[in-house]
Amino acid sequence: MNIVLILLLVIYVIVFCVFLWKSVPVWRWYHITLSVVVMGLIIIFLAPLSASLKARVAWNRMIQQVEQQLDEQHREYKRLTEEPGSIQELQTELQKLTSEVGRVWRNLEMQNVTPQGITLALTNDQVEEAEGADAGEDQAALIDETAIVYGFAEQETSIGTETFQVPVRYLGEFTVTSSTPNQVTIKITGMATAQQRQLIESGRVTSWSLYELLPLDGHQPFMVSGSQPSDTNMFGRVDTELLNTLFQNRLLPQTLDAYTKDGESAGEDSDLISSADQAEVDDDSDLIAGQGR
């Protein structure tokens, strides 16, 4: 207890004793006894009273802290749900980017290539994950037979600290000839280009991704974060560093230049792409279309 309170208590007891001594000639015995009992109870209950007040102060402080945290959480929730750049806005953007994409089977390992078809299989991690999710149930075929899918060659790419597989080359349209829960056999429909045949038959494409629908091309995934359409560019500013990171500098300079300037308002100094250059640009369009989704 605080030394000041102890001194005040001693003074209070001394004053009480003085008044009690002065009252002895006129008081009866029961008056004196009752006064002493009341004084004793007051002194005894000072300790629990002080503890109760101390606990009340602590609870009040805790309530104030919780109320401050609640206000901060309300402000954070409002920022995440209502202000620009909120979760709802990001979800809307994500829906735009993934519209009409359909199902996608990623990171499929190529087992072999024969005239009868190309066999792709899930990785060991994917097999274990699928078996764990469907434990005790009959696993369905990976992809429905006779389905039409679109194949892309994947390559491991690092952006910052994240490393993941991204599609880098369009390999063509395929028909599913057979399918099990862990692997699928596909056969190309129509005529493949010389480049597609070389990539497939050489075995260099070890990782595939199959799309139920051909991904839509778009500019938005490659715009600088926060870039907005303007009078000078209807799409915004292209993130050339991101393009070079994703495509490992495989884009032709004229392709990158044309894509960067796509959507700009024409001016007197605007450069026009020649027919030959445009053909080379079109050859790389599959790259950007595949990476866009």
Side-chain angles (χ1 to χ4, degrees):
M1 189 179 294
N2 194 308
I3 187 66
V4 177
L5 295 179
I6 295 177
L7 291 176
L8 291 176
L9 180 60
V10 171
I11 294 172
Y12 177 70
V13 172
I14 293 174
V15 172
F16 172 79
C17 293
V18 171
F19 276 97
L20 185 63
W21 177 68
K22 292 291 186 179
S23 303
V24 168
V26 295
W27 277 9
R28 305 294 294 272
W29 66 270
Y30 48 83
H31 293 119
I32 297 173
T33 303
L34 183 61
S35 298
V36 172
V37 170
V38 171
M39 174 57 68
L41 292 175
I42 290 174
I43 295 175
I44 291 173
F45 283 102
L46 278 178
L49 176 62
S50 62
S52 176
L53 293 175
K54 185 177 180 180
R56 180 180 176 81
V57 171
W59 278 109
N60 285 337
R61 289 177 180 174
M62 184 176 295
I63 291 174
Q64 292 176 357
Q65 292 177 356
V66 172
E67 289 178 345
Q68 291 177 356
Q69 293 176 358
L70 181 62
D71 292 339
E72 292 177 358
Q73 293 299 322
H74 282 162
R75 289 193 293 269
E76 182 68 11
Y77 176 79
K78 184 177 181 180
R79 184 185 68 82
L80 292 175
T81 56
E82 299 179 9
E83 296 180 3
S86 64
I87 293 177
Q88 292 182 352
E89 184 174 328
L90 294 177
Q91 287 177 339
T92 302
E93 293 297 326
L94 180 61
Q95 290 175 356
K96 292 179 180 178
L97 294 176
T98 58
S99 61
E100 300 183 18
V101 170
R103 292 177 295 175
V104 181
W105 297 267
R106 303 181 187 277
N107 200 18
L108 300 175
E109 295 180 345
M110 187 173 70
Q111 300 294 319
N112 56 59
V113 180
T114 64
Q116 288 72 35
I118 305 164
T119 302
L120 307 174
L122 297 176
T123 62
N124 293 332
D125 293 338
Q126 290 174 317
V127 171
E128 293 176 359
E129 183 179 350
E131 291 177 349
D134 300 332
E137 300 180 3
D138 294 335
Q139 296 184 4
L142 184 60
I143 307 176
D144 296 335
E145 293 186 9
T146 71
I148 301 297
V149 293
Y150 302 90
F152 287 83
E154 290 183 334
Q155 181 172 314
E156 190 175 85
T157 301
S158 298
I159 299 180
T161 58
E162 298 292 334
T163 301
F164 42 86
Q165 299 287 110
V166 295
V168 293
R169 284 290 182 184
Y170 177 58
L171 299 176
E173 179 182 291
F174 299 85
T175 301
V176 178
T177 57
S178 65
S179 178
T180 68
N182 298 331
Q183 69 178 24
V184 60
T185 302
I186 58 177
K187 188 173 183 179
I188 196 165
T189 60
M191 294 295 295
T193 64
Q195 186 182 48
Q196 290 172 341
R197 287 197 305 271
Q198 181 183 8
L199 287 172
I200 297 172
E201 295 173 359
S202 65
R204 288 188 298 162
V205 181
T206 58
S207 181
W208 288 55
S209 60
L210 298 178
Y211 285 71
E212 187 176 29
L213 299 174
L214 192 63
L216 301 177
D217 192 7
H219 292 74
Q220 190 58 39
F222 306 103
M223 296 297 109
V224 174
S225 179
S227 177
Q228 298 295 328
S230 62
D231 294 338
T232 57
N233 195 311
M234 63 183 297
F235 300 115
R237 185 162 58 89
V238 177
D239 192 341
T240 55
E241 182 179 352
L242 175 63
L243 287 176
N244 287 327
T245 300
L246 291 175
F247 299 108
Q248 307 282 321
N249 297 312
R250 290 189 302 271
L251 292 177
L252 295 174
Q254 56 266 39
T255 301
L256 182 60
D257 183 65
Y259 194 82
T260 303
K261 294 181 178 180
D262 191 20
E264 290 185 356
S265 58
E268 294 180 357
D269 298 330
S270 298
D271 296 329
L272 298 178
I273 305 175
S274 65
S275 299
D277 290 341
Q278 184 62 53
E280 294 178 339
V281 170
D282 292 340
D283 289 339
D284 284 338
S285 62
D286 291 333
L287 264 174
I288 297 178
Q291 186 61 46
R293 295 295 176 269

